[in-house]
């Protein structure tokens, strides 16, 4: 029985193709990665709950301490008011009491004197005493006193009733937190290196003061990852329900977006994040194979007349000592370029002051822009096959297409291909936009600012092409990571059938 089971198991395992098992392994690996990402999210959420709870408790203590402080200040002020009123009334009554006591004392003395005067026998002395008593009574303060208190003992005007305030305090509660907005991917727009994000509230909330939009670049599709991601960038104080980020460089495949609503005191929860595709062609200049007289750094190239002279002379001396036609090791390893392998192309040399991009175009539509230095005497912009020879100049072979600007001795502006030239009767723009439709076999050049079409090649590309640049006595700077502008897309729809194709160059010699 065991032998049968083993044999059946062996046959079952043999029935599963290796490719199917690899797909299962890939599916399991992706699922594990997805679960791990979710675990990281849960751990970060748990940590956030603990930190946010601690912060909220601290803020609650501060708010109540502030209330207590205000109540203490109000109480102290009211106590002072009561004490001041008490002191004022007491002073008034004490003064009036003192006056009355003095008047009573004088009146009692006068009464006693008048009573004794009744016993005087002599008429003359009695008459004299009677006149004195009369005069003293007339002047007595007792008869000028007001026998009504100047102030009352009523203090009811300083009584309080905090029943309403107590009711208000009893209604104290947590602020209503704004609900999470909902980003509508259908209403979002990615175009012209700009992203417009639109959202709505799940229900009307008239206490919303503003919104906060956060975004970050990523190369992962789907939900944002906790680890290995760039930091969120913030746009605050957005008053409307949409926002446009413009002037972006699309140097990642996607961008994550989330938004939260804020009232005057608190920010609500984040919306569910949305991932939008932001693919564009990103490339640098290939320093490893540029001409020795070009100084290359990422997206900038500049003519350097001394760049290769010293090394060229040393290389030639060593080459003369060695076998004829065999380049010296130092000559082939200038810069950081690894040793050439069979089938690769050498560094450009001679009068081919050329540098290519480091990323090949094999399909799709792409766009980039080039700006020349003001004093640049000569430069070319275009594309070429990887097989472009090290002595070949852009536009002088059937493997390269370009437009060429010459500001040396005479000013010319022309399109070049296969050693044919067509002069362009337009002004040289400040920035040149390059549009390459590999599948459609089209290479077009535009004024990057006005989007005016300068020239368009029609070609059936049979190999991947590389962005190509030639510069002499000056420099160029590139802008990559750009989407095809909407204006260019519109023009391309109407551009088919226009003159200015490679066929026109076939009849014009250089």
């Amino acid at each position: 029985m065991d032998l049968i089971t083993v044999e059946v198991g062996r046959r079952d395992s043999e029935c599963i193709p290796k490719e199917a098992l690899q797909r299962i392994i890939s599916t399991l690996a992706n699922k594990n990665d997805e679960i791990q990402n979710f675990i990281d999210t849960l751990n970060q959420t748990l940590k956030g709950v603990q930190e946010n709870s601690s912060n909220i408790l601290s803020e609650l203590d501060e708010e109540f301490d502030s209330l207590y402080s205000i109540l203490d200040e109000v109480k102290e002020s009211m106590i002072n008011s009561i004490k001041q009123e008490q002191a004022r009334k007491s002073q008034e009554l004490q003064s009036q009491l003192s006056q009355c006591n003095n008047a009573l004392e004088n009146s009692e003395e006068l009464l006693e004197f008048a009573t004794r005067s009744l016993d005087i026998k002599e008429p003359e002395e009695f008459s004299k005493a009677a006149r004195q008593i009369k005069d003293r009574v007339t002047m007595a303060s007792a008869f000028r006193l007001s026998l009504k208190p100047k102030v009352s003992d009523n203090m009811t005007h300083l009584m309080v009733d905090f029943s309403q305030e107590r009711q208000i305090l009893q209604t104290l509660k947590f602020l209503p937190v704004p609900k999470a907005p909902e980003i509508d991917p259908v209403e979002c727009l990615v175009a012209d290196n700009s992203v417009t994000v639109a959202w709505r509230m799940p229900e009307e909330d008239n206490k919303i003061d503003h919104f906060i939009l956060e975004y970050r670049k990523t190369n992962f599709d789907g939900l944002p990852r906790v680890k290995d991601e760039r930091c969120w960038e913030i746009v605050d104080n957005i008053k409307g329900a949409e926002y446009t980020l413009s002037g972006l460089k699309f140097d990642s495949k996607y961008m994550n977006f989330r938004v939260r609503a804020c009232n005057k005191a608190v920010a609500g929860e984040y919306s569910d994040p949305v991932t939008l595709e932001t693919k564009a062609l990103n490339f640098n200049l290939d320093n490893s194979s540029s001409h020795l007289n070009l100084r290359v750094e990422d997206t900038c190239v500049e003519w350097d007349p001394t760049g290769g002279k010293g090394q060229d002379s040393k290389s030639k001396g060593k080459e003369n000592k060695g076998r004829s036609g065999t380049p010296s090791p130092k000559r082939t390893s200038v810069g950081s370029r690894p040793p050439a392998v069979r089938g690769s192309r050498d560094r450009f040399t001679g009068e081919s002051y050329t540098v290519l991009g480091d990323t090949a175009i094999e399909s799709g539509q792409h766009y980039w822009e080039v700006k020349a230095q003001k004093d640049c005497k000569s430069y070319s912009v275009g594309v070429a096959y990887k097989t472009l020879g090290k002595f070949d100049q852009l536009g002088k072979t059937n493997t390269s297409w370009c437009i060429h600007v010459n500001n040396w001795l005479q000013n010319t502006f022309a399109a070049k291909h296969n050693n044919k030239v067509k002069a362009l009767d337009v002004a040289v723009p400040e920035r040149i936009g390059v549009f390459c439709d590999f599948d459609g076999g089209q290479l077009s050049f535009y004024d990057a600012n006005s989007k005016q079409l300068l020239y368009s090649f029609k070609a059936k590309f049979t190999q991947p092409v590389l962005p190509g640049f030639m510069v002499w006595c000056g420099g160029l700077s590139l802008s990559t990571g750009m989407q095809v502008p909407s204006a260019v897309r519109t023009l391309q729809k109407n551009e088919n059938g226009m003159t200015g194709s490679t066929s026109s160059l076939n009849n014009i010699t250089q």
Side-chain angles (χ1 to χ4, degrees), residues 180 252 296 347 386 508:
S252 63
V296 176
R347 177 186 288 273
K386 294 180 179 180
I508 301 175

Side-chain angles (χ1 to χ4, degrees), residues 46 59 131 135 226 365 377 407 441 465 507:
L46 179 59
E59 291 179 3
R131 283 197 299 273
D135 292 340
V226 176
Q365 297 180 345
K377 294 181 179 179
N407 297 317
V465 296
N507 300 323

Side-chain angles (χ1 to χ4, degrees), residues 364-485:
Q365 297 180 345
H366 307 279
Y367 179 85
W368 60 95
E369 293 181 357
V370 183
K371 182 178 181 180
Q373 294 177 355
K374 290 184 178 180
D375 58 349
C376 191
K377 294 181 179 179
S378 179
Y379 63 93
S380 298
V381 178
V383 299
Y385 289 152
K386 294 180 179 180
T387 55
L388 185 68
K390 66 178 182 178
F391 294 101
D392 293 338
Q393 297 180 24
L394 290 179
K396 290 194 174 183
T397 68
N398 63 355
T399 61
S400 62
W401 300 256
C402 73
I403 57 173
H404 175 73
V405 178
N406 179 42
N407 297 317
W408 175 246
L409 298 180
Q410 60 179 353
N411 296 331
T412 60
F413 187 26
K416 290 186 175 184
H417 171 64
N418 200 20
N419 210 23
K420 304 296 191 301
V421 179
K422 179 175 176 58
L424 304 181
D425 189 20
V426 291
V428 179
E430 180 184 5
R431 296 175 65 89
I432 296 175
V434 184
F435 170 77
C436 180
D437 182 358
F438 186 90
D439 301 318
Q442 187 160 343
L443 179 68
S444 301
F445 300 89
Y446 291 87
D447 181 330
N449 294 326
S450 67
K451 300 301 183 289
Q452 175 192 2
L453 178 65
L454 304 175
Y455 193 80
S456 184
F457 290 102
K458 287 288 188 178
K460 184 177 181 181
F461 299 121
T462 58
Q463 303 176 35
V465 296
L466 291 164
F469 310 89
M470 185 284 294
V471 61
W472 179 69
C473 292
L476 302 174
S477 59
L478 316 182
S479 296
T480 67
M482 304 182 71
Q483 286 188 311
V484 179

Side-chain angles (χ1 to χ4, degrees), residues 200-484:
R200 57 175 175 266
M201 294 299 295
E203 59 186 46
E204 185 177 355
D205 187 347
N206 56 12
K207 294 185 178 181
I208 298 298
D209 179 68
H210 65 276
F211 296 92
I212 298 175
L213 175 66
E214 297 187 5
Y215 65 94
R216 66 182 178 187
K217 297 179 180 180
T218 179
N219 287 316
F220 299 101
D221 193 4
L223 294 176
R225 298 176 176 232
V226 176
K227 295 182 179 180
D228 302 324
E229 287 283 12
R230 305 181 190 182
C231 295
W232 289 97
E233 297 188 54
I234 299 174
V235 181
D236 200 353
N237 201 34
I238 301 173
K239 296 299 183 180
E242 72 172 34
Y243 188 81
T244 299
L245 295 164
S246 57
L248 298 171
K249 180 176 182 179
F250 287 167
D251 51 4
S252 63
K253 294 181 181 179
Y254 306 96
M255 290 182 69
N256 301 140
F257 297 90
R258 64 185 185 185
V259 67
R260 64 199 307 195
C262 304
N263 55 31
K264 290 292 186 180
V266 65
E269 293 291 327
Y270 287 107
S271 65
D272 290 335
V274 168
T275 300
L276 300 178
E277 188 177 40
T278 56
K279 289 195 301 184
L281 177 65
N282 285 274
F283 66 90
N284 290 326
L285 297 174
D286 183 9
N287 181 49
S288 67
S289 56
S290 63
H291 194 282
L292 282 171
N293 287 109
L294 298 182
R295 185 167 58 248
V296 176
E297 184 176 351
D298 294 337
T299 57
C300 295
V301 56
E302 191 170 354
W303 165 259
D304 182 5
T306 65
K309 288 183 178 179
Q311 295 183 23
D312 279 340
S313 62
K314 292 179 182 179
S315 299
K316 289 179 180 178
K318 292 186 178 182
E319 287 172 5
N320 291 335
K321 293 180 181 179
R323 290 183 299 171
S324 175
T326 303
S328 68
K330 287 188 177 180
R331 176 64 183 86
T332 57
S333 60
V334 174
S336 60
R337 183 169 66 96
V341 296
R342 189 174 185 86
S344 69
R345 110 183 120 64
D346 292 332
R347 177 186 288 273
F348 288 105
T349 189
E351 294 185 355
S352 179
Y353 304 116
T354 304
V355 60
L356 300 179
D358 61 3
T359 302
I361 298 174
E362 301 179 353
S363 63
Q365 297 180 345
H366 307 279
Y367 179 85
W368 60 95
E369 293 181 357
V370 183
K371 182 178 181 180
Q373 294 177 355
K374 290 184 178 180
D375 58 349
C376 191
K377 294 181 179 179
S378 179
Y379 63 93
S380 298
V381 178
V383 299
Y385 289 152
K386 294 180 179 180
T387 55
L388 185 68
K390 66 178 182 178
F391 294 101
D392 293 338
Q393 297 180 24
L394 290 179
K396 290 194 174 183
T397 68
N398 63 355
T399 61
S400 62
W401 300 256
C402 73
I403 57 173
H404 175 73
V405 178
N406 179 42
N407 297 317
W408 175 246
L409 298 180
Q410 60 179 353
N411 296 331
T412 60
F413 187 26
K416 290 186 175 184
H417 171 64
N418 200 20
N419 210 23
K420 304 296 191 301
V421 179
K422 179 175 176 58
L424 304 181
D425 189 20
V426 291
V428 179
E430 180 184 5
R431 296 175 65 89
I432 296 175
V434 184
F435 170 77
C436 180
D437 182 358
F438 186 90
D439 301 318
Q442 187 160 343
L443 179 68
S444 301
F445 300 89
Y446 291 87
D447 181 330
N449 294 326
S450 67
K451 300 301 183 289
Q452 175 192 2
L453 178 65
L454 304 175
Y455 193 80
S456 184
F457 290 102
K458 287 288 188 178
K460 184 177 181 181
F461 299 121
T462 58
Q463 303 176 35
V465 296
L466 291 164
F469 310 89
M470 185 284 294
V471 61
W472 179 69
C473 292
L476 302 174
S477 59
L478 316 182
S479 296
T480 67
M482 304 182 71
Q483 286 188 311
V484 179

Side-chain angles (χ1 to χ4, degrees), residues 22-76:
Q22 288 177 338
R23 288 196 297 270
I24 293 173
I25 292 173
S26 176
T27 302
L28 288 174
N30 291 336
K31 177 55 69 175
N32 290 348
D33 185 54
E34 183 180 349
I35 294 174
Q36 183 60 54
N37 182 52
F38 184 62
I39 290 173
D40 293 338
T41 301
L42 290 177
N43 286 329
Q44 182 160 325
T45 303
L46 179 59
K47 181 180 178 181
V49 167
Q50 295 169 346
E51 292 179 353
N52 291 336
S53 297
S54 177
N55 292 337
I56 291 297
L57 287 173
S58 177
E59 291 179 3
L60 184 65
D61 286 337
E62 291 179 1
E63 288 295 326
F64 272 97
D65 287 342
S66 176
L67 283 177
Y68 298 150
S69 176
I70 293 173
L71 289 174
D72 288 339
E73 290 177 3
V74 173
K75 179 181 178 181
E76 186 65 26

